[in-house]
C-alpha cells in the first residue's frame, strides 16, 4: 500500500515539476522574465508583466549614464545615486555589489538571462544596448587598473616615442606627473615630459581643430537641407536593416530546431543564441535610431560637427581624460619627439587643422560667404 501511495505521489510530483518547468519555458519564450523584478521594475500582478517602477526607473538609467562616463568608481556611483534618493524596495541603501549587479544585467537593455540562456524580453528597456556596452567596457578597463594596482594617468598609453617607437608611460615624482619613453627595445635619448606641458600642447591641438559655435549652427542647418533631398535613398537602408533582423530571426529558429533535434549541445545552443540575439538587438536599435532621427550619414556628419565644437570646450577645460579622448578622436599616430606631440589629423579634422583662420570666430561676413560657396562640404571622419 505504502509503495503504491509513494509511487503515486512521486508520479504526481514529477508531473508537477515537469509542468512547472514547461510553464516557465513558455513564459520566457513569450519574453516574460520569470522572477522578481530587478531594481527599477515592478511585477504587475494583473498582467504578469514587468513594468517600470515609477519611483526607481529613472535612477537605474542614471546609474548607467554615470558609470559610462568612466569618471566614477562603483562606490562613487552608489553614493551619488543614494544622495539623489534611490533606496531598495524595502527602504535600504543599495550596496556597491547591487550597483555592479545592475550594470551587468541584460534586463535593462531589454533582454534577460534564464538558465544561462539569453532571451529577448517584452518589457520596456531602461537603456540602449549601446550604453550597456559602454559600461561593460568601462568596467573591464577599471578592473584592469585596480587588479594591477596601477595609478591612473590621463595621457598614458596614447603616445609612442618618436625616436625608438616604444610606448610612453607615466610616473609621479615630487607631486608632478611625468611621461617618458619605456626604452624597452634599444637605448633612446628622449627625456621626460611634464604633464602640464602635454596638457598645454593638447589644448592647442584641440583649439586648432575646433569649430566656432556660429559655424556649427550653420553647418548643421546645411545638413538638414541636404537631408530632405536624400530621403528616398535611405529607404533601402531601412529595408536592409529589416531584412538583417529577419535573417537573425530565421537563424534563431533554425538554431532552436538543431537543439530540439539534439544535433547541438545545450551549451553550444545557449552560446550561439546569445550571439545572434545580441546582434538582433543591436540591429533593431540601429533601425530605431535611424527611424527616429533619420539618415545614417546625417548622424556621423552632425556628430563630427558637434564633436569639433565640443573640442573647443575640452581645450579650455581641466578634464585631462576628456582631452585625451578628444585627441584620440581627432588624431592618429600620436608620437612624442623632443617633448613635442606630433600627430596625423584624422579624416575631416585634416581640413580643420589646415585652415589657419578656422579656430577664430568668423566675422559675420565671412560666415555668410562660406555658406554660399559651399566651403562647408564635409568629408566624413574615419
Ligand atoms: Zn624612445
Amino acid at each position: 500500500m505504502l509503495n503504491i501511495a509513494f509511487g503515486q505521489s512521486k508520479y504526481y510530483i514529477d508531473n508537477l515539476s515537469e509542468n512547472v518547468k514547461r510553464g516557465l519555458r513558455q513564459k520566457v519564450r513569450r519574453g516574460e522574465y520569470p522572477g522578481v523584478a530587478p531594481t527599477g521594475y515592478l511585477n504587475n500582478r494583473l498582467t504578469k508583466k514587468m513594468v517600470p517602477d515609477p519611483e526607481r526607473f529613472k535612477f537605474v538609467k542614471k546609474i548607467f549614464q554615470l558609470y559610462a562616463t568612466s569618471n566614477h568608481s562603483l562606490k562613487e556611483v552608489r553614493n551619488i545615486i543614494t544622495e539623489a534618493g534611490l533606496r531598495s524596495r524595502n527602504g535600504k541603501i543599495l550596496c556597491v555589489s547591487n550597483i555592479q549587479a545592475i550594470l551587468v544585467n541584460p534586463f535593462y537593455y531589454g533582454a534577460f538571462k534564464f538558465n544561462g540562456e539569453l532571451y529577448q524580453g517584452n518589457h520596456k528597456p531602461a537603456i540602449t544596448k549601446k550604453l550597456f556596452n559602454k559600461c561593460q567596457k568601462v568596467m573591464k578597463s577599471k578592473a584592469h587598473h585596480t587588479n594591477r594596482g596601477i595609478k591612473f594617468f590621463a595621457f598614458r598609453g596614447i603616445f609612442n616615442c618618436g625616436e625608438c617607437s616604444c610606448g610612453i608611460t607615466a610616473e609621479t615624482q615630487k607631486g608632478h606627473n611625468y611621461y617618458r619613453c619605456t626604452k624597452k627595445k634599444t637605448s633612446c635619448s628622449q627625456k621626460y615630459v611634464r604633464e602640464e606641458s602635454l596638457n598645454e600642447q593638447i589644448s592647442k591641438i584641440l583649439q586648432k581643430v575646433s569649430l566656432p559655435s556660429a559655424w556649427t549652427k550653420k553647418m548643421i542647418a546645411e545638413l538638414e537641407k541636404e537631408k530632405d533631398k536624400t530621403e528616398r535613398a535611405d529607404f533601402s537602408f531601412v529595408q536592409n536593416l529589416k531584412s538583417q533582423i529577419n535573417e537573425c530571426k530565421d537563424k534563431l529558429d533554425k538554431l532552436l530546431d538543431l537543439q530540439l533535434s539534439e544535433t547541438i549541445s545545450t551549451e553550444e545552443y545557449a552560446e550561439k543564441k546569445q550571439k545572434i540575439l545580441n546582434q538582433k538587438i543591436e540591429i533593431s536599435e540601429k533601425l530605431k535610431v535611424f527611424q527616429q532621427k533619420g539618415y545614417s550619414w546625417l548622424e556621423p556628419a552632425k556628430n563630427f560637427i558637434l564633436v569639433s565644437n565640443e573640442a573647443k570646450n575640452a581645450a579650455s577645460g581641466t578634464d585631462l581624460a576628456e582631452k585625451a579622448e578628444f585627441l584620440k578622436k581627432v588624431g592618429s599616430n600620436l608620437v612624442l619627439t623632443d617633448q613635442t606631440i606630433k600627430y596625423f589629423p584624422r579624416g575631416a579634422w585634416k581640413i580643420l587643422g589646415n585652415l589657419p583662420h578656422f579656430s577664430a570666430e568668423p566675422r559675420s561676413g565671412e560666415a555668410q560667404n562660406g555658406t554660399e560657396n559651399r566651403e562647408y562640404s564635409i568629408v566624413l571622419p574615419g
Side-chain angles (χ1 to χ4, degrees):
M1 265 313 270
L2 252 177
N3 263 347
I4 292 168
F6 181 72
Q8 273 179 342
S9 60
K10 183 167 185 318
Y11 172 76
Y12 174 74
I13 290 167
D14 282 354
N15 222 5
L16 181 71
S17 99
E18 207 33 63
N19 280 339
V20 168
K21 275 187 202 154
R22 192 175 307 130
L24 282 180
R25 277 200 299 272
Q26 280 166 354
K27 204 167 152 66
V28 295
R29 288 214 182 106
R30 285 197 304 266
E32 292 165 26
Y33 176 61
V36 180
T39 307
Y41 289 85
L42 296 172
N43 295 79
N44 185 322
R45 278 171 219 279
L46 287 177
T47 62
K48 308 271 183 208
K49 279 188 176 176
M50 302 276 177
V51 289
D53 176 348
E55 204 181 308
R56 298 177 185 84
F57 195 64
K58 59 176 191 290
F59 287 123
V60 170
K61 196 172 178 182
K62 189 79 192 157
I63 289 174
F64 280 94
Q65 286 167 338
L66 281 169
Y67 195 71
T69 63
S70 92
N71 291 333
H72 307 288
S73 65
L74 288 171
K75 201 174 165 187
E76 283 166 356
V77 170
R78 194 273 308 261
N79 293 346
I80 295 170
I81 213 76
T82 302
E83 185 77 10
L86 177 62
R87 297 290 181 275
S88 73
R89 278 188 292 254
N90 43 27
K92 285 185 183 152
I93 288 174
L94 266 65
C95 51
V96 174
S97 63
N98 293 144
I99 301 291
Q100 183 162 30
I102 288 173
L103 286 168
V104 298
N105 191 347
F107 193 88
Y108 295 104
Y109 70 79
F112 63 86
K113 271 205 163 173
F114 181 71
N115 271 347
E117 203 180 298
L118 193 74
Y119 291 87
Q120 172 123 42
N122 62 8
H123 56 278
K124 184 185 174 192
I127 54 157
T128 61
K129 177 81 175 19
K130 207 173 159 191
L131 183 60
F132 183 83
N133 289 352
K134 180 90 201 291
C135 289
Q136 307 317 303
K137 234 188 208 173
V138 170
M139 200 173 286
K140 220 172 164 185
S141 78
K142 280 197 197 287
H144 186 70
H145 284 302
T146 40
N147 286 348
R148 290 164 60 197
I150 293 174
K151 194 184 157 189
F152 176 75
F153 291 97
F155 304 145
R156 184 173 47 203
I158 299 178
F159 302 103
N160 283 95
C161 173
E163 185 174 327
C164 70
S165 79
C166 285
I168 300 287
T169 187
E171 60 193 64
T172 307
Q173 296 275 350
K174 290 180 186 159
H176 285 282
N177 292 343
Y178 290 88
Y179 292 78
R180 62 166 177 84
C181 174
T182 48
K183 304 188 182 184
K184 273 186 181 153
K185 288 185 203 151
T186 48
S187 63
C188 169
S189 68
Q190 293 294 313
K191 295 194 184 97
Y192 285 88
V193 194
R194 267 169 87 150
E195 189 166 79
E196 290 85 342
S197 161
L198 287 180
N199 185 16
E200 217 171 280
Q201 293 183 49
I202 292 171
S203 291
K204 275 185 192 152
I205 292 169
L206 294 184
Q207 202 60 255
K208 219 177 159 188
V209 299
S210 56
L211 275 178
S213 305
W215 293 66
T216 309
K217 278 183 205 134
K218 287 204 168 71
M219 289 169 87
I220 300 249
E222 281 295 304
L223 284 176
E224 295 288 354
K225 261 191 238 164
E226 201 67 25
K227 174 190 131 180
D228 297 336
K229 286 185 206 159
T230 50
E231 226 158 343
R232 259 174 244 142
D234 289 311
F235 180 71
S236 67
F237 180 78
V238 169
Q239 291 307 104
N240 183 21
L241 286 183
K242 280 185 180 164
S243 73
Q244 279 183 44
I245 293 171
N246 283 333
E247 264 170 44
C248 286
K249 280 183 191 156
D250 285 348
K251 275 189 200 164
L252 287 171
D253 285 345
K254 276 180 195 144
L255 200 61
L256 186 62
D257 287 344
L258 285 178
Q259 201 242 354
L260 290 176
S261 64
E262 294 179 349
T263 314
I264 54 170
S265 69
T266 317
E267 293 79 28
E268 226 179 322
Y269 170 72
E271 193 186 315
K272 288 200 170 126
K273 186 187 168 193
Q274 175 162 346
K275 211 171 139 197
I276 300 169
L277 193 53
N278 274 331
Q279 234 172 21
K280 187 179 151 227
I281 290 173
E282 276 170 21
I283 299 167
S284 307
E285 255 174 34
K286 222 193 251 177
L287 181 65
K288 211 171 140 199
V289 168
F290 187 82
Q291 284 171 332
Q292 275 169 359
K293 297 184 189 163
Y295 317 105
S296 54
W297 56 269
L298 184 69
E299 281 315 302
K302 263 193 192 169
N303 189 39
F304 160 71
I305 294 166
L306 291 175
V307 168
S308 302
N309 184 232
E310 282 164 18
K312 207 176 102 185
N313 302 330
S316 53
T318 52
D319 185 341
L320 299 190
E322 192 192 9
K323 282 186 179 179
E325 280 306 309
F326 265 109
L327 185 64
K328 280 192 275 183
K329 261 185 217 171
V330 304
S332 62
N333 282 6
L334 298 159
V335 158
L336 212 52
T337 312
D338 297 330
Q339 300 167 312
T340 310
I341 299 172
K342 298 206 169 70
Y343 72 105
F344 289 110
R346 287 182 199 273
W349 280 292
K350 238 174 269 174
I351 307 168
L352 295 190
N354 289 337
L355 295 174
H357 63 277
F358 235 78
S359 53
E361 290 282 340
R363 279 168 298 179
S364 53
E366 264 180 359
Q368 274 160 14
N369 288 341
T371 326
E372 279 155 18
N373 61 27
R374 298 189 57 81
E375 226 182 277
Y376 294 112
S377 54
I378 290 155
V379 183
L380 295 184

